[in-house]
Amino acid sequence: MLYIVPTPVGNMDDMTYRAVNVLKSVDLILAEDTRTSSVLLSLYGISNPLQSHHKFNEHQTLQSVVGRLKTGIDVALISDAGTPGISDPGFLLVRECIREGIEVSCLPGATAFVPALVSSGLPCDKFCFEGFLPQKKGRQSRLEELEEESRTMIFYESPRRITKTLEQLKEHFGGDRNVSVCREISKIHEESVRGSISEVLDHFLSHEPKGEFVIIVAGKDNGEKPVKQKNASKNKYKRQDTQIEEDMSAEDA
């Protein structure tokens, strides 16, 4: 069986009992970055064999992994942070396992966009997840397609590109469109900044962007009044729980 096992996006206390038990029981753990995953696994006394499985080698290792699964072993797939397959490797392996009749079980668990969406103050009954926009080819055309999207939209972004992306969202959706930008989810410096796209863009032009970002944008003509804060920069709070130091994504690399 192939197990898809979510891991914390920042706070190690978000690891579930079931995730730990599954990782201790499988014959092989596929990890996006074995060095990063080793930190988490050692914390919970997990010493099962590790194998690298990331976006640069998943096409080459796919058949080998499926072949081993066919022999009857149990394999767990983890990413550096969050749920595999959500802006991380996982889709190709899951699809191939299904084609080959191999059972796939995905554990519920951490993912960055759900807490960002629920805490945004924007409608979360219907939404579309866009993840990272294309960096070059197809970026403008995708934003043009989303101009008529009525559902709440979710984007991931890095600190290096957050202001550029907000400028492009302003260009395509208008500066008055409601948005919530959340960074460093579940970490010590977690912060949400809410308001119009113009207001939030101004905030990050005057405050150096740090950490990984989730952008929640209101859909077109959803009738929602802007969710404004008296002082966006004060919407921070300290967490006292154990933290993971590594970033949740390798997109900045």
Side-chain angles (χ1 to χ4, degrees):
M1 177 183 288
L2 173 67
Y3 291 95
I4 308 300
V5 182
T7 54
V9 297
N11 191 315
M12 286 192 183
D13 290 342
D14 292 334
M15 191 73 169
T16 68
Y17 290 115
R18 186 183 174 200
V20 172
N21 289 334
V22 166
L23 292 174
K24 286 183 175 180
S25 71
V26 296
D27 302 289
L28 175 67
I29 299 173
L30 302 177
E32 185 179 4
D33 186 325
T34 56
R35 296 165 301 179
T36 298
S37 296
S38 293
V39 176
L40 175 68
L41 297 177
S42 63
L43 180 68
Y44 292 101
I46 301 168
S47 56
N48 304 45
L50 273 175
Q51 178 179 317
S52 178
H53 184 83
H54 48 72
K55 66 180 180 180
F56 300 109
N57 74 353
E58 60 179 336
H59 287 86
Q60 289 74 33
T61 62
L62 184 62
Q63 293 306 320
S64 172
V65 173
V66 171
R68 298 186 67 179
L69 281 161
K70 284 183 175 181
T71 68
I73 71 169
D74 290 330
V75 175
L77 173 65
I78 61 177
S79 62
D80 288 348
T83 301
I86 304 297
S87 291
D88 278 321
F91 160 68
L92 293 177
L93 181 57
V94 169
R95 182 178 66 180
E96 193 63 22
C97 285
I98 292 171
R99 286 175 174 173
E100 295 295 329
I102 298 168
E103 190 173 354
V104 178
S105 177
C106 182
L107 279 62
T111 189
F113 79 81
V114 172
L117 172 63
V118 174
S119 65
S120 68
L122 297 173
C124 50
D125 55 336
K126 296 180 181 179
F127 58 88
C128 64
F129 176 75
E130 292 293 321
F132 289 97
L133 286 166
Q135 291 189 30
K136 294 181 180 179
K137 185 177 180 181
R139 188 180 181 91
Q140 290 297 325
S141 59
R142 184 59 190 148
L143 286 170
E144 289 172 2
E145 292 170 355
L146 291 171
E147 288 176 2
E148 300 301 316
E149 177 59 66
S150 60
R151 297 170 296 179
T152 301
M153 294 169 279
I154 304 167
F155 304 90
Y156 283 167
E157 196 50 276
S158 72
R160 291 184 301 150
R161 294 190 294 268
I162 184 67
T163 55
K164 175 184 176 182
T165 296
L166 288 170
E167 288 170 350
Q168 292 175 325
L169 294 178
K170 179 180 178 180
E171 176 186 347
H172 287 273
F173 302 148
D176 293 333
R177 184 76 66 93
N178 205 15
V179 68
S180 173
V181 176
C182 188
R183 71 180 187 92
E184 297 289 80
I185 291 172
S186 83
K187 296 183 181 180
I188 293 174
H189 301 291
E190 180 174 340
E191 176 187 28
S192 290
V193 182
R194 306 178 184 91
S196 69
I197 294 178
S198 292
E199 291 169 336
V200 174
L201 173 59
D202 288 343
H203 171 83
F204 286 109
L205 287 173
S206 59
H207 297 79
E208 182 183 2
K210 295 180 179 180
E212 300 294 333
F213 289 83
V214 183
I215 306 171
I216 312 294
V217 185
K220 182 179 181 181
D221 298 328
N222 65 10
E224 292 291 315
K225 294 182 179 180
V227 181
K228 295 186 178 182
Q229 301 171 188
K230 292 182 178 179
N231 190 330
S233 65
K234 290 185 178 179
N235 190 43
K236 302 178 182 179
Y237 52 94
K238 295 287 185 180
R239 292 185 178 272
Q240 302 301 323
D241 307 313
T242 307
Q243 305 292 323
I244 291 178
E245 295 299 327
E246 287 78 17
D247 287 336
M248 72 176 187
S249 171
E251 289 291 326
D252 283 340

